[in-house]
Amino acid sequence: MYYLLKLFPEITIKSRSVRRHMTRCLTANVRNTLRPLDQRIRVREHWDSLQVATPEGLSDATRTEVQQRLARIPGIHEVQTVEEVGFRDLDDIANRLTPLWQGEIAGRRFRVSAKRRGQHLFTSADMERHLGARLLAAAPGASVDLRHAEVDVPVQVIDDRLRLIRRRWPGLGGYPLGLQGQAMALISGGYDSPVAAWRMIRRGIKTHFLFFNLGGPEHERGVREVTHHLWQRYSLSHRVSFISVPFEPVVAEILHKVPDGVMGVVLKRMMVRAASRIARRARVPALVTGDAIAQVSSQTLSNLALIDDASELPVLRPLLTDDKQEIIRQAREIDTARFAETMPEYCGVISRRPNTRARRDQIAEAEATFDFSVLEAAIEDATLTRTDALADAPAPSPASPAELLTLDSRESLAAADQISVIDIRAPHEREEAPLSLPEVPQLAIPFYELQQQAESLPDDRRYLLYCDQGVMSRMQALHLHDRGLTHFGIYRNAASR
């Protein structure tokens, strides 16, 4: 018994030399993926398939893991569990095939798909007719349907050997990983960017991961998890990099210096500026983003063109024309949706009136006063972790939510001693919906200035952070706890719960 790996159909139509190169690359990838499970696993290369032989005595758990890994290796169209036996004639083939399939085809429409290689006294069509008749007689309620079969019964004869396919399941398809070069995917942990990275992996592109941290240790921890999942599940044959860039100071500079309507576009431009610099340093020739046309204000065609202008490298967008529901469906299929569903939305800048068609001169004027040394510092402070070490590397450890003082009513505030509330919303948000707590001392420090000002606040009081939805206040409080400033907590009124 062994596994037969059928090549992705687009590989089989390549020229002889290209096909051989792709097959050799796929063979190496399969070996690299399976070797950690058992050093005795053997992979053999054939013209139209690969053969994987596992040793006797392999545990059921290891065998199951082998099967799951094979189904996720880019370049494999189908995985088959195969047994090869000798045979004498068509009746002998029928006697071996019928017990395997009669239960599967009972009450269903089926067809026999026969392939033959070598010299025989019968043709492939003879095999299909003879075996189909035997199966039809053995399976109650079965019927033959050559065009719309519910079950396809495969049988292969190679010289004097009968290849019995006991089980078959779809592979990932695409091209062998590493064959099409490298790219660096900007990943945030939402629905879009992991799907975009996965699509590049499936097309054979060795994909590194670049994360712009807008939410402190908690944000990074969540993105590390989804990145490790993508790597371990779909690109285990290669070692790639996870790079984290501390971008909160850049966000603060944008919120201080950039006009409201173009904040989103400028933020994306700063990201691709930094990304192209980091990628060029790593000799990676392209960037990948999860942008889709018209999903948000910065993703109109005109704004995307302005964003691309800030990059020294081409920006690839595999999701550009996809609907959101299709992206979410695919995120569930590759099992990244569960990360997006539990990850808070860390939005760097939110414009009140975003410009969907920003002009080039507006962007130039907006960036004229930007302090680019802040961006340079963020690039220099970037950290790199190899994906195979993500699970073991000491990620920034957020404080436990249980450690945060959290009050959620005016009554609890009034009863507490030595408490002040800090409204961390942006100035325009405070003006539009003032926080009314006349009995409690209040401070107004926008979230993008809080980390810089927090240490100067007297530590003989407790400070509760407030924002509309409660997400930014929780993230900022956790970030401060990580720095040892444990006298900060959260205030959530009824509207923000």
Side-chain angles (χ1 to χ4, degrees), residues 5 25-39 41 43 50 52 62 65-74 76 176-177 231-239:
L5 313 180
C25 181
L26 180 57
T27 302
N29 290 351
V30 173
R31 286 194 182 110
N32 290 341
T33 302
L34 299 183
R35 186 181 294 124
L37 297 177
D38 195 304
Q39 294 285 337
I41 295 175
V43 184
L50 304 184
V52 177
T62 302
E65 181 65 20
V66 167
Q67 294 172 1
Q68 291 176 346
R69 290 191 181 189
L70 289 174
R72 298 188 207 119
I73 297 174
I76 297 174
L177 190 62
W231 169 77
Q232 188 175 53
R233 197 171 174 116
Y234 300 106
S235 56
L236 195 57
S237 58
H238 288 67
R239 302 294 181 261

Side-chain angles (χ1 to χ4, degrees), residues 4-12 26 48-49 70-80 115 168-175 202:
L4 195 69
L5 313 180
K6 306 300 289 184
L7 304 179
F8 182 55
E10 289 182 27
I11 297 175
T12 64
L26 180 57
D48 61 351
S49 62
L70 289 174
R72 298 188 207 119
I73 297 174
I76 297 174
H77 176 64
E78 185 177 79
V79 183
Q80 301 174 353
K115 291 184 179 180
R168 60 200 297 192
W169 60 95
L172 185 61
Y175 289 108
R202 185 181 177 275

Side-chain angles (χ1 to χ4, degrees), residues 77-147:
H77 176 64
E78 185 177 79
V79 183
Q80 301 174 353
T81 303
V82 173
E83 179 185 8
E84 278 194 14
V85 296
F87 71 95
R88 295 185 304 275
D89 51 28
L90 286 178
D91 283 330
D92 193 16
I93 294 175
N95 290 338
R96 293 179 178 276
L97 190 70
T98 301
L100 296 177
W101 288 94
Q102 64 185 75
E104 181 74 15
I105 66 173
R108 305 173 75 184
R109 303 187 307 275
F110 77 96
R111 67 167 173 254
V112 176
S113 297
K115 291 184 179 180
R116 184 182 60 85
R117 191 167 68 210
Q119 299 296 319
H120 304 97
L121 297 176
F122 50 83
T123 66
S124 297
D126 292 336
M127 288 175 61
E128 290 175 349
R129 285 192 293 269
H130 187 87
L131 299 176
R134 287 285 298 272
L135 287 169
L136 192 62
S143 61
V144 174
D145 190 332
L146 300 181
R147 295 193 174 200

Side-chain angles (χ1 to χ4, degrees), residues 332-366:
R332 293 198 174 110
E333 184 179 301
I334 64 175
D335 198 29
T336 59
R338 59 189 173 93
F339 298 97
E341 287 162 358
T342 59
M343 189 171 297
E345 183 70 27
Y346 296 104
C347 197
V349 293
I350 302 175
S351 298
R352 284 175 293 175
R353 293 178 294 276
N355 191 336
T356 58
R357 294 184 180 180
R359 300 192 313 272
R360 201 171 302 277
D361 61 305
Q362 288 178 309
I363 298 299
E365 183 179 350

Side-chain angles (χ1 to χ4, degrees), residues 5 42 70 76 78 87 90 110 126 163 170 187 224 248 290 309 314 336 401 428 438 445 452-453 462 481 491:
L5 313 180
R42 295 291 178 260
L70 289 174
I76 297 174
E78 185 177 79
F87 71 95
L90 286 178
F110 77 96
D126 292 336
R163 183 179 284 176
I187 189 162
R224 279 172 171 252
E248 287 176 307
D309 281 348
T336 59
H428 71 269
I445 305 175
Q452 288 74 34
Q453 296 191 29
R462 303 295 297 272
H481 269 243
Y491 169 59

Side-chain angles (χ1 to χ4, degrees), residues 176-402:
L177 190 62
L179 200 63
Q180 305 299 322
Q182 303 183 75
M184 188 165 285
L186 279 63
I187 189 162
S188 66
Y191 288 105
D192 304 339
S193 56
V195 174
W198 174 81
R199 289 193 184 180
M200 302 303 289
I201 292 169
R202 185 181 177 275
R203 295 303 286 182
I205 296 172
K206 182 179 176 180
T207 304
H208 303 272
F209 300 89
L210 180 60
F211 164 59
F212 291 98
N213 192 339
L214 307 178
E218 188 178 22
H219 191 192
E220 180 166 337
R221 178 175 292 274
V223 177
R224 279 172 171 252
E225 288 177 355
V226 69
T227 299
H228 186 262
H229 168 84
L230 274 175
W231 169 77
Q232 188 175 53
R233 197 171 174 116
Y234 300 106
S235 56
L236 195 57
S237 58
H238 288 67
R239 302 294 181 261
V240 297
S241 300
F242 173 81
I243 300 170
S244 176
V245 184
F247 230 56
E248 287 176 307
V250 177
V251 170
E253 181 71 6
I254 290 172
L255 290 165
H256 275 301
K257 303 283 184 65
V258 174
D260 176 81
V262 294
M263 283 182 176
V265 174
V266 171
L267 176 62
K268 291 290 185 67
R269 280 170 60 88
M270 295 299 169
M271 286 180 173
V272 299
R273 269 197 186 96
S276 61
R277 292 269 301 281
I278 292 169
R280 282 176 68 90
R281 187 184 301 168
R283 298 183 179 180
V284 175
L287 305 178
V288 179
T289 74
D291 295 328
I293 291 176
Q295 261 200 40
V296 295
S297 59
S298 64
Q299 293 176 17
T300 61
L301 282 179
S302 56
N303 284 351
L304 289 174
L306 291 172
I307 292 167
D308 284 359
D309 281 348
S311 176
E312 303 171 21
L313 300 176
V315 181
L316 309 180
R317 296 182 172 92
L319 308 185
L320 192 63
T321 60
D322 280 77
D323 297 332
K324 189 68 174 184
Q325 287 306 310
E326 171 60 19
I327 296 169
I328 293 173
R329 183 200 67 76
Q330 198 155 66
R332 293 198 174 110
E333 184 179 301
I334 64 175
D335 198 29
T336 59
R338 59 189 173 93
F339 298 97
E341 287 162 358
T342 59
M343 189 171 297
E345 183 70 27
Y346 296 104
C347 197
V349 293
I350 302 175
S351 298
R352 284 175 293 175
R353 293 178 294 276
N355 191 336
T356 58
R357 294 184 180 180
R359 300 192 313 272
R360 201 171 302 277
D361 61 305
Q362 288 178 309
I363 298 299
E365 183 179 350
E367 293 182 354
T369 58
F370 186 91
D371 183 358
F372 279 90
S373 67
V374 176
L375 183 66
E376 295 291 333
I379 294 172
E380 291 305 313
D381 290 341
T383 59
L384 184 150
T385 307
R386 279 193 1 172
T387 47
D388 56 318
L390 272 180
D392 303 322
S397 301
S400 167

